[in-house]
Each structure stands twice: as structure tokens, then as C-alpha cells.
Amino acid sequence: MSNAPAASNPYLSKAYINGVYIPSGLLVVGVLIVKPEWLPYAIALALALGGYQAFGLMSAGVQKVLKPDVFQNFELTKKTIISHNVAIYRFKLPSLNSILGLPIGQHISIAATLPQPEGPNKEIVRSYTPISGDHQPGYFDLLIKSYPTGNISKYMASLVVGQTIKVKGPKGAMVYTPNLVRAFGMIAGGTGITPMLQIIRAVIRGRPTGDKTEIDLIFANVNPEDILLKDDLDKLAKEDKGFRVHYVLNNPPEGWEGGVGFVTPEMITKWLPKPADDIKLLLCGPPPMISAMKKAAEGLGFKKARPVSKLEDQVFAF
């Protein structure tokens, strides 16, 4: 990140200076003095050896920062407004080599001590799934929709750059590994898209190394402007033939070609994989929606969902 202090920049650390820059410089200067005509070869060799050494230092220096039992403070460095009540919040990790260490499919807890109308201040904890991943060191991003009656979401909306939040994790029973199943059927409502997007992106990143998982997503919202990250989803679907997205709106615009109303068993049958031992149905959204989708799935032949989902379940609710 451009605004990270030099002290947290691994490329300015003693390890890089002593292990990469000084040896490379000495090689080039020595050849320039002794055999100037060999200078182009010396520069090429210095770049190759320096790059190899830098790669080793970077690989060794990656640090996972999440702690499951301890809240840590992370500073807000960027706030990107998406709409009147949605924003992407970027938080700085301790160094450019730091990663959250969040397994794909899991989430973090955010805590804040907030005033309560009925009494004294109270610590409120809520779960969120970053839309960034451990392949993006140095920061993590949260997509959050603020609600007037929300606790943490309203608190997040009030944050300004430089303030911090308290985070701990990882949490959750879902841990995605490549080819965990043959196919995912996903049903998301509103900000329930975040854990789905985390898995979708991981699957697509894994294509070059053999991840063949098929994904069909039903994404339900009230109005067209409520469809979060639609451009990102459409781009992913266009670029990856194994991922398909189907939109459903309560209030569709004129000419709308997607689903209309609530997600129905007919939509699930039409757009998502049929029940099988090598598929999973993933759910995330408002509680009434999740309850309805669990009942619909059971009626379509999926195994009955448990109140608290486990990794091995055919129907998994985040």
C-alpha cells in the first residue's frame, strides 16, 4: 500500500538490504572495475540471483496475523463508497507480507463497545467475510451494508480513515479445499454474497492447478441497485465457463430477464445442481430467507439441514 510507512515495508528491511541489494551491487561494481565488457552479463546475473533471494525472503516472511481467541486492532486506510448505505472498507495489516490467515469459507468476528438505548454500553460482536483473500497480502477488505437499526454495520459506517476495529478469527465450520465437491449450488441474499464470492474466487484462482468445481449461484435482492458487486460477478461468469450467476429481484425493472419475487423451488430446480452425494448447497442471507430455503431444499430431495451446519452437510448455511 502506498501509504505504508517505510518501517513496515519488507523491501527496505535489513534482510533485503544485506541479502539482496548489497550482494547484487557488489557483483555489478566488481565486474565494472575488472571486466567492463562483461557488465551486461553481470547485471543479468545480479537480477536473477537477487530475484531468487528476494523470493525466498518473501516466502519465509509471510505472517498470519489472525488469533482465534484474541481481538486485535486493525487500522482503516481506505473507504470506498458503493451506494448510500454500502461501502468497501480496507484495513491495514502489520506489514506488506502479512496475511489474515483466513481459510476459504471461514469468517472473522468484529467487536465494538456501543451505547445501548436500554442501558449502559455493551460489547457487540458480529461476523463478516472479507471479499479479499490471503493471496493479497498487506490488507483485507470488507463489504458492509449499513442498516439504521444495525449495531456493527452502523458503527462501521461512522468510521473514518485512521480509526481502528477489533478483529479475531478464523471462525466457521466451512473450510473449502479444491474439488471438495463436484458442484456447488449457492443461494445468497443481499450481503450474504460475501462468503459465496470468497469461494467463487478461490475456485476460479484454482483452475490452472486443476480445480474443476462447477458453481451455480442464485443471488436474490429487492431492487436492481441492491445487487452488490454485480459487475464483478458478471465478469467472473463471462471469464469462467464453470461459474454461472442467476439474479432474482422483488422489484424488477422493465425488460428484466431474471427471476422475479422470492427464490422458489422451481428456480432452484431450474438453475442449481440436483441433489447428489458430490454436490453441496450453500446458503447465506437474512434468517427468514435461510429458513425458507432449507425447507425448499428438503422438499426437493436434499438432506435435511441441521440447525448449525457442519462441513460434511449437503445443505450448508453460513
Side-chain angles (χ1 to χ4, degrees), residues 95-288:
S95 79
L96 292 182
N97 271 357
S98 299
I99 60 174
L100 273 178
L102 184 69
I104 300 299
Q106 297 203 306
H107 52 268
I108 59 175
S109 292
I110 296 177
T113 301
L114 304 173
Q116 300 298 306
E118 70 279 4
N121 291 355
K122 180 180 178 182
E123 183 175 69
I124 305 296
V125 180
R126 293 290 185 269
S127 296
Y128 290 94
T129 303
I131 58 171
S132 56
D134 284 348
H135 63 294
Q136 299 164 298
Y139 68 90
F140 65 96
D141 289 340
L142 296 173
L143 174 72
I144 297 178
K145 183 174 184 177
S146 177
Y147 297 93
T149 57
N151 284 297
I152 295 296
S153 70
K154 192 163 62 173
Y155 164 73
M156 294 290 291
S158 73
L159 290 179
V160 297
V161 170
Q163 291 185 299
T164 62
I165 60 169
K166 297 193 296 183
V167 173
K168 73 176 180 180
K171 293 183 63 181
M174 170 60 69
V175 178
Y176 177 74
T177 52
N179 298 305
L180 176 68
V181 290
R182 173 177 56 85
F184 281 120
M186 298 178 171
I187 304 175
T191 53
I193 191 62
T194 55
M196 307 303 187
L197 186 60
Q198 182 195 42
I199 292 175
I200 292 164
R201 285 175 169 167
V203 168
I204 293 174
R205 284 197 308 273
R207 296 296 193 212
T209 53
D211 197 331
K212 299 178 181 179
T213 310
E214 297 280 318
I215 303 175
D216 286 280
L217 164 68
I218 295 176
F219 189 16
N221 289 277
V222 177
N223 303 305
E225 59 271 22
D226 297 325
I227 305 176
L228 301 173
L229 302 176
K230 185 176 188 298
D231 290 344
D232 289 11
L233 290 167
D234 289 342
K235 182 180 179 182
L236 290 171
K238 183 178 179 181
E239 295 175 351
D240 188 274
K241 64 181 182 181
F243 168 56
R244 293 157 293 273
V245 58
H246 313 276
Y247 299 106
V248 177
L249 290 176
N250 284 3
N251 302 317
E254 187 176 349
W256 175 252
E257 296 181 355
V260 177
F262 295 112
V263 177
T264 64
E266 290 74 22
M267 293 177 187
I268 298 173
T269 298
K270 179 180 178 181
W271 289 326
L272 301 188
K274 304 297 184 289
D277 290 340
D278 56 355
I279 75 102
K280 279 188 186 295
L281 183 63
L282 305 182
L283 311 174
C284 191

Side-chain angles (χ1 to χ4, degrees), residues 60-99:
V62 171
Q63 300 173 341
K64 297 181 180 180
V65 302
L66 274 180
K67 297 178 180 178
D69 301 317
V70 178
F71 279 106
Q72 300 176 82
N73 289 314
F74 296 96
E75 180 186 339
L76 178 67
T77 60
K78 187 178 181 182
K79 186 175 179 179
T80 304
I81 304 300
I82 304 299
S83 70
H84 72 284
N85 62 353
V86 178
I88 295 175
Y89 303 82
R90 175 162 294 185
F91 294 92
K92 181 171 62 176
L93 296 177
S95 79
L96 292 182
N97 271 357
S98 299
I99 60 174

